[in-house]
C-alpha cells in the first residue's frame, strides 16, 4: 500500500545514518557541531517514521469499516459482520468478512436463533456456514434464506459464534483494528475436512460466550423465495 513511500524512507534513513557517521567522526572540522545535532535529529526522526510504517501502520485499508462501520466482530484474525438483506434473487443472509493477516484461513460461522427464525437448511434449527478466505481478503458470503410471512418486518434474535483456523499460521498482520470477540466452539480442524457452504446441524453443539445479534427481516419480498440455497462467496 505504501511501498514507494517506505522505499523513500529507507533511502533517507540510510543517508541520515551516513551523514551522522561522517559528522560524529570528523571532529575539528568547521560546522561539524551543527551537523552533529541536525544529523542526529534527522536520523531519529526517520527511524521513528520507519518503526511506525513497518510495525504500527496498517498495510491494507480497513475496507470492512468503510462498508459496515466500526462495530463488527472477530474470530481470531478474521473480522465478521452478518446481516439479512433482500437481493434480486430473494432474501439472503450476508456475512461480510475481512482477513487481518497475510495467510489464508478457514472460517465457520454458527448462528442459533433464540426463537422462530428464517430457514437456510430445511429441518435444521441452527445455521452453520463454512468458507475459506485468502490473505487480506475482504468480501461477503451470500446465503439465500427463506423468511416466513409472519416474520417479515420483524427483528429476530440470533446467537452467533465464529471460529477460524490458519493452517500455515497467521503470518504478517496487515490490519491493526480488531473486532469484538464473538465467542467460540470446538472444531476438529485436523480430523475433519471442512466442507464449504451451509450444513444441516441441530442445537446440540455447545457454544461458548456467543454474542446476540438482532437481525431485521425484510418486510417486502417482491420476488419468490429462492429455490437454490447454495451459498456464493464474493471478494470485494
Amino acid at each position: 500500500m505504501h511501498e514507494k513511500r517506505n522505499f523513500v524512507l529507507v533511502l533517507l534513513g540510510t543517508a541520515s545514518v551516513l551523514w551522522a557517521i561522517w559528522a560524529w567522526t570528523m571532529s575539528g572540522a568547521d560546522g561539524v557541531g551543527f551537523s552533529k545535532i541536525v544529523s542526529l535529529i534527522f536520523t531519529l526522526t526517520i527511524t521513528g517514521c520507519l518503526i511506525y510504517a513497518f510495525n504500527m501502520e496498517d498495510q491494507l485499508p480497513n475496507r470492512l469499516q468503510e462498508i459496515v462501520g466500526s462495530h463488527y466482530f472477530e474470530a481470531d484474525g478474521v473480522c465478521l459482520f452478518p446481516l439479512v438483506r433482500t437481493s434480486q434473487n430473494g432474501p439472503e443472509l450476508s456475512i461480510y468478512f475481512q482477513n487481518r493477516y497475510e495467510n489464508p484461513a478457514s472460517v465457520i460461522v454458527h448462528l442459533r436463533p433464540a426463537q422462530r427464525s428464517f430457514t437456510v437448511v430445511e429441518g435444521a434449527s441452527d445455521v452453520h456456514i463454512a468458507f475459506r478466505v485468502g490473505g487480506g481478503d475482504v468480501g461477503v458470503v451470500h446465503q439465500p434464506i427463506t423468511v416466513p410471512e409472519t416474520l417479515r418486518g420483524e427483528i429476530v434474535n440470533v446467537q452467533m459464534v465464529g471460529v477460524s483456523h490458519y493452517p500455515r499460521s497467521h503470518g504478517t498482520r496487515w490490519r491493526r483494528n480488531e473486532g469484538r470477540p464473538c465467542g467460540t466452539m470446538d472444531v476438529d480442524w485436523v480430523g475433519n475436512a471442512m466442507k464449504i457452504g451451509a450444513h444441516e446441524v441441530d442445537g446440540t453443539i455447545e457454544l461458548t460466550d456467543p454474542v446476540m445479534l438482532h437481525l431485521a427481516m425484510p418486510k417486502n419480498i417482491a420476488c419468490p423465495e429462492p429455490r437454490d440455497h447454495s451459498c456464493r462467496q464474493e471478494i470485494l
Side-chain angles (χ1 to χ4, degrees):
M1 181 179 175
H2 303 293
E3 290 84 358
K4 292 183 178 179
R5 184 207 60 190
N6 293 343
F7 178 71
V8 172
L9 285 175
V10 170
L11 292 179
L12 291 175
T14 303
S16 67
V17 170
L18 294 175
W19 181 18
I21 293 174
W22 173 83
W24 285 85
T25 56
M26 295 292 291
S27 57
D30 294 337
V32 167
F34 174 79
S35 294
K36 284 182 178 180
I37 296 174
V38 175
S39 64
L40 184 59
I41 293 175
F42 196 71
T43 299
L44 293 175
T45 301
I46 297 297
T47 300
C49 292
L50 287 172
I51 291 174
Y52 174 79
F54 287 107
N55 294 290
M56 301 175 64
E57 185 182 34
D58 284 356
Q59 302 303 309
L60 291 176
N62 191 343
R63 290 291 311 282
L64 187 60
Q65 181 174 322
E66 298 172 4
I67 298 170
V68 304
S70 59
H71 299 288
Y72 46 81
F73 304 98
E74 177 166 345
D76 189 27
V78 179
C79 298
L80 303 164
F81 188 82
L83 54 84
V84 173
R85 67 177 191 177
T86 301
S87 69
Q88 60 182 1
N89 297 319
E92 67 179 26
L93 172 68
S94 299
I95 303 176
Y96 288 87
F97 61 85
Q98 177 173 267
N99 189 355
R100 297 198 299 117
Y101 292 87
E102 67 168 336
N103 286 338
S106 299
V107 184
I108 295 177
V109 174
H110 192 104
L111 303 177
R112 176 171 295 166
Q115 68 267 1
R116 189 161 175 255
S117 182
F118 55 87
T119 302
V120 174
V121 179
E122 195 65 36
S125 60
D126 290 13
V127 180
H128 188 91
I129 300 176
F131 56 97
R132 292 189 176 91
V133 299
D137 274 358
V138 182
V140 57
V141 173
H142 303 278
Q143 174 60 59
I145 62 175
T146 300
V147 180
E149 291 188 10
T150 55
L151 289 180
R152 295 179 183 179
E154 300 294 326
I155 301 296
V156 172
N157 297 321
V158 179
Q159 291 182 322
M160 182 189 81
V161 300
V163 290
S164 68
H165 173 62
Y166 288 80
R168 299 181 301 182
S169 79
H170 289 72
T172 303
R173 186 188 67 189
W174 283 349
R175 298 180 177 97
R176 289 183 302 115
N177 292 341
E178 301 179 5
R180 292 171 51 199
C182 60
T184 186
M185 64 182 183
D186 291 332
V187 177
D188 185 4
W189 297 105
V190 178
N192 296 321
M194 192 181 79
K195 297 179 180 179
I196 303 299
H199 304 286
E200 181 177 352
V201 292
D202 56 26
T204 61
I205 297 177
E206 184 177 354
L207 308 182
T208 303
D209 298 326
V211 295
M212 181 65 76
L213 305 177
H214 308 285
L215 300 178
M217 298 297 105
K219 185 174 183 179
N220 299 312
I221 302 176
C223 58
E225 293 284 355
R227 294 182 178 179
D228 183 7
H229 279 260
S230 58
C231 69
R232 176 176 58 89
Q233 187 168 342
E234 177 186 3
I235 302 299
L236 302 178

